[in-house]
Amino acid sequence: METLVREELVRKVYVWELPVRLYHWINALCIVALCITGYLIGRPPALQSATEASFSYWFGTVRFIHFIFAFLFFFNFVFRVYWGFVGNKFSRWNNFIPLKKWQWRELMCVLKVDILQVSDRPILSVGHNALASLTYFFTFLAFVLQSLTGFGLYAAMSTSWFPDLFSWIVPLLGGDFMTRQIHHILMWFFIIFGMIHVYLVFYHDYIERNGLTSSMIGGWKFIEEDVEDVNPDDRTKRCMDK
Amino acid sequence: MIDKKSTVYEEVLAAGYSRRDFLRFCGTMAAMLGLSASGASQIAKALETKSRIPVLWMHFQECTCCSESFIRSSHPIVADILLDKISLDYTETLMAAAGHQAEKSLHDTMEKYHGQYLMMVEGSIPTGDEAYCCIGGRSAYDIVNEVADGAKAIVAWGNCASAGCVQAADPNPTGARPVHKVIKGKPIINVQGCPPIAEVMAGVIVHLLTFDRIPQLDGLGRPMAFYSRRVHDTCYRRPNYDAGLFVESFDDENAKRGYCLYKMGCRGPNTYNSCGVIKWNNGVSYPIQSGHPCIGCSEANFWDNGPFYKHLQSFPGFGIESTADTVGVGLGIATGAGIVAHAISTNIRKRKHTNKGEVETDIDKS
């Protein structure tokens, strides 16, 4: 009987290198800050005040924070892309794009076992599983689109050369209206992604007890002794067998 | 017809203006165009030495508000000279000629000044069924292609000619298209707005006359001199925006105090135009100054990006009142429900396994 629990023999695998972990937490901080400030910019609360406008600047500050975190977010992401080419095998770019057959098989596996819960076969991946990887690939696309639309909108109020690199996106989308709309809709993608992401981290740790939650702090995961040695083709075939 | 020898300046004098009037006009235009101090003399010199450019001003699917705006510009020379005298060889609404005479004038200019005349277009061109707009028995589509062929440059007046305006709004029954989507391979200047500001229109013409080349354009073909800044960035209410002081409804105390109209749907932050600087009707006011949010009339598809009085656009396919936020909150709740369902199912499954005693002792301590 395949179980949801691990075998007796467990070993530590150093999965997330320090730069990956730093990237993750900076990214998390940026996304939280950008969503909160972004929502406020899109829908400012009704604060009644009889003071002169010159005495207050809270909305300007909210926007300023949004822009600062946008720059941090963007360059942090650029760094992650770079790390996808120089990092260890768990952070490599080819994790995120399912070009191999076994990745698609694993993806179906994860859907059956973890999401739909119609199968009990364990999934024995060490880094990201295939479904998670593909989801991250979509978030990377969202990062790109959000950066393009965000800096595209920002370019108009900046004299700096950097945001100007993004100004072409506005005419491409037909103007600020559409650019803004896409930027706003994508904020909800990040919020919903965040909800599911945090839940699934807890879920995997709860079921698989591989130390997933703390792995993003310390970098180590606890893996069955033989997992890494199994050929991914066999591993995923085993999972799909009834 | 056109006397090639007479310069613009000579025409101005002939119309009864003094040199002082002329120089004042040049100074005004230089300021409008954002030229440096020497700009006024550059303009004066160009107008003194250059002969008039023949202009063919075409009207298609439009309301003539661009022409109306233009003839109300603050400086009399603008309308008088640029429009009336400068050699407007053909314009349906203002020319004295009619019928065959008008058509002849049009074709004479097109032949005589092939490759030299300026084509100015007011209105969009129907392409769904060309019959929706016919002049002299010919479709707008045919006319615009024929006239554009010999034009040196094309000026698209207003939102209709630049982006299609209201007739191109969803569902666009006539298949209305702006000039740049019908004509390819010609320099086209989109002078946006519904209508454009008169001084902006005059400024574009003066630029073409003075420098003999099209002005610097932005990504959407609009002259940078007038459309490089957002209405928001030049708005006198901007400090209220930065202070987070917003009008919440048109009849509240905040409206009286002149707070920012952002939450009333103001499109200033998305709209590139000179309304906050040049203003309207001889610099009297502009919509925001009069207490009304900007509707973004110098942006493409501004009719479809409604509702006008809501800051967030409606989300297509989810009803008129739904915004990205409505849809987002709905999806968020659905996600939350999914998570709860999944968590319950997970616990049932986990319990089944632990009850079966399959969990090995060393890890069961957790």
Side-chain angles (χ1 to χ4, degrees):
Chain A
M1 166 80 205
E2 292 75 19
T3 68
L4 286 166
V5 296
R6 291 176 282 109
E7 308 293 343
E8 214 171 338
L9 291 167
V10 169
R11 71 165 168 188
K12 291 190 287 183
V13 182
Y14 190 56
V15 180
W16 315 123
E17 299 152 292
L18 182 63
V20 173
R21 284 175 275 147
L22 273 176
Y23 155 78
H24 174 270
W25 291 112
I26 292 173
N27 198 37
L29 174 73
C30 286
I31 289 176
V32 170
L34 286 167
C35 283
I36 293 171
T37 51
Y39 185 82
L40 286 174
I41 293 166
R43 188 174 268 198
L47 298 182
Q48 303 295 325
S49 167
T51 55
E52 282 295 318
S54 49
F55 287 107
S56 173
Y57 196 71
W58 79 263
F59 200 61
T61 308
V62 167
R63 294 175 71 242
F64 182 72
I65 294 169
H66 192 80
F67 302 146
I68 293 295
F69 276 103
F71 277 99
L72 186 58
F73 171 81
F74 179 78
F75 288 107
N76 190 44
F77 174 55
V78 169
F79 168 78
R80 183 62 183 86
V81 172
Y82 161 75
W83 200 258
F85 293 92
V86 300
N88 69 13
K89 65 172 177 177
F90 303 112
S91 57
R92 287 260 156 185
W93 66 272
N94 53 10
N95 281 287
F96 301 99
I97 306 166
L99 297 172
K100 299 204 180 76
K101 222 171 177 177
W102 69 263
Q103 286 174 304
W104 286 103
R105 260 203 310 269
E106 186 177 296
L107 199 150
M108 295 310 292
C109 263
V110 177
L111 266 181
K112 276 164 73 181
V113 176
D114 288 321
I115 307 302
L116 302 173
Q117 307 199 335
V118 292
S119 167
D120 267 355
R121 308 219 163 203
I123 298 146
L124 305 167
S125 52
V126 182
H128 297 305
N129 69 49
L131 180 62
S133 299
L134 186 63
T135 310
Y136 293 134
F137 180 65
F138 287 128
T139 64
F140 293 157
L141 292 183
F143 290 176
V144 170
L145 198 51
Q146 199 71 327
S147 301
L148 285 176
T149 51
F151 284 113
L153 290 167
Y154 183 72
M157 46 187 133
S158 167
T159 49
S160 165
W161 61 273
F162 177 75
D164 221 37
L165 298 175
F166 299 83
S167 57
W168 54 270
I169 192 77
V170 175
L172 186 74
L173 295 171
D176 274 19
F177 283 109
M178 190 45 75
T179 316
R180 229 187 129 278
Q181 179 83 329
I182 291 172
H183 198 70
H184 194 104
I185 291 167
L186 275 175
M187 173 193 76
W188 284 103
F189 170 81
F190 285 103
I191 292 172
I192 288 164
F193 167 80
M195 289 168 71
I196 298 174
H197 173 72
V198 171
Y199 169 72
L200 283 179
V201 168
F202 290 164
Y203 162 83
H204 282 290
D205 225 354
Y206 190 64
I207 292 296
E208 295 164 11
R209 278 177 283 187
N210 53 6
L212 180 61
T213 316
S214 65
S215 75
M216 203 36 88
I217 296 170
W220 299 90
K221 267 191 180 179
F222 304 96
I223 309 294
E224 282 175 57
E225 184 61 34
D226 59 342
V227 167
E228 261 193 294
D229 306 329
V230 179
N231 175 317
D233 262 318
D234 300 340
R235 170 161 65 77
T236 50
K237 270 181 195 147
R238 227 167 50 190
C239 165
M240 288 302 278
D241 286 344
K242 260 289 157 194
Chain B
M1 285 285 309
I2 302 146
D3 177 12
K4 279 223 88 176
K5 277 168 196 153
S6 70
T7 64
V8 178
Y9 177 56
E10 283 160 2
E11 286 293 328
V12 171
L13 293 185
Y17 291 101
S18 65
R19 179 160 177 84
R20 179 177 289 264
D21 291 328
F22 172 72
L23 290 177
R24 192 179 292 149
F25 167 75
C26 295
T28 310
M29 280 301 128
M32 297 284 181
L33 283 163
L35 301 176
S36 55
S38 63
S41 53
Q42 264 180 291
I43 292 175
K45 189 163 186 220
L47 299 184
E48 277 168 357
T49 52
K50 285 182 186 163
S51 56
R52 305 167 303 161
I53 306 178
V55 173
L56 299 175
W57 186 310
M58 319 304 294
H59 295 254
F60 300 120
Q61 288 180 304
E62 47 101 5
C63 71
T64 320
C65 75
C66 301
S67 297
E68 291 284 348
S69 173
F70 191 58
I71 59 175
R72 277 160 183 74
S73 71
S74 56
H75 206 284
I77 292 184
V78 173
D80 224 26
I81 298 307
L82 295 183
L83 190 74
D84 196 21
K85 289 276 178 204
I86 209 172
S87 60
L88 203 56
D89 291 347
Y90 182 88
T91 179
E92 284 93 340
T93 47
L94 292 170
M95 64 190 167
H100 294 296
Q101 213 183 356
E103 292 299 306
K104 186 178 180 298
S105 164
L106 173 65
H107 285 100
D108 284 351
T109 307
M110 280 166 54
E111 276 166 34
K112 197 172 168 191
Y113 298 104
H114 192 86
Q116 294 168 44
Y117 60 83
L118 286 178
M119 179 191 189
M120 302 191 173
V121 182
E122 211 178 324
S124 58
I125 298 113
T127 56
D129 184 343
E130 292 175 27
Y132 280 118
C133 182
C134 288
I135 299 151
R138 298 181 58 213
S139 75
Y141 188 83
D142 281 350
I143 296 170
V144 81
N145 275 295
E146 189 191 359
V147 178
D149 186 48
K152 187 179 186 182
I154 300 170
V155 178
W157 291 136
N159 205 308
C160 298
S162 303
C165 206
V166 70
Q167 58 273 31
D170 188 55
N172 192 358
T174 66
R177 309 193 83 181
V179 178
H180 68 90
K181 290 212 173 143
V182 175
I183 303 295
K184 298 286 173 208
K186 287 277 172 188
I188 298 173
I189 307 165
N190 289 328
V191 184
Q192 266 280 23
C194 187
I197 303 169
E199 283 71 23
V200 170
M201 300 172 79
V204 171
I205 296 178
V206 169
H207 188 286
L208 288 167
L209 281 176
T210 307
F211 300 107
D212 203 24
R213 59 168 187 262
I214 60 164
Q216 194 189 356
L217 304 178
D218 73 359
L220 293 161
R222 301 175 291 195
M224 293 283 273
F226 304 106
Y227 299 93
S228 62
R229 301 183 75 192
R230 301 179 303 166
V231 170
H232 191 54
D233 296 327
T234 50
C235 183
Y236 77 103
R237 297 195 186 202
R238 178 62 186 265
N240 294 287
Y241 171 85
D242 288 328
L245 299 172
F246 300 107
V247 174
E248 301 288 335
S249 91
F250 282 117
D251 55 357
D252 71 0
E253 189 67 18
N254 297 353
K256 205 173 141 192
R257 289 199 190 109
Y259 285 174
C260 175
L261 291 158
Y262 184 67
K263 290 177 83 173
M264 301 311 296
C266 185
R267 301 293 194 252
N270 306 335
T271 305
Y272 295 79
N273 209 336
S274 296
C275 300
V277 180
I278 298 174
K279 301 189 180 175
W280 289 81
N281 302 316
N282 306 350
V284 169
S285 182
Y286 72 112
I288 294 167
Q289 191 175 342
S290 306
H292 191 281
C294 167
I295 60 172
C297 76
S298 59
E299 293 292 322
N301 304 324
F302 76 105
W303 295 99
D304 287 332
N305 292 319
F308 283 160
Y309 299 109
K310 286 265 170 71
H311 173 63
L312 294 170
Q313 286 153 244
S314 60
F315 197 87
F318 287 83
I320 290 167
E321 292 291 308
S322 63
T323 63
D325 283 354
T326 334
V327 178
V329 169
L331 283 174
I333 291 169
T335 308
I339 287 173
V340 169
H342 193 268
I344 292 169
S345 153
T346 301
N347 272 291
I348 293 169
R349 239 164 41 128
K350 187 171 178 173
R351 185 166 294 263
K352 229 190 282 176
H353 286 289
T354 38
N355 287 350
K356 277 181 192 161
E358 282 165 2
V359 179
E360 320 228 346
T361 45
D362 65 328
I363 47 171
D364 205 26
K365 290 168 195 156
S366 56

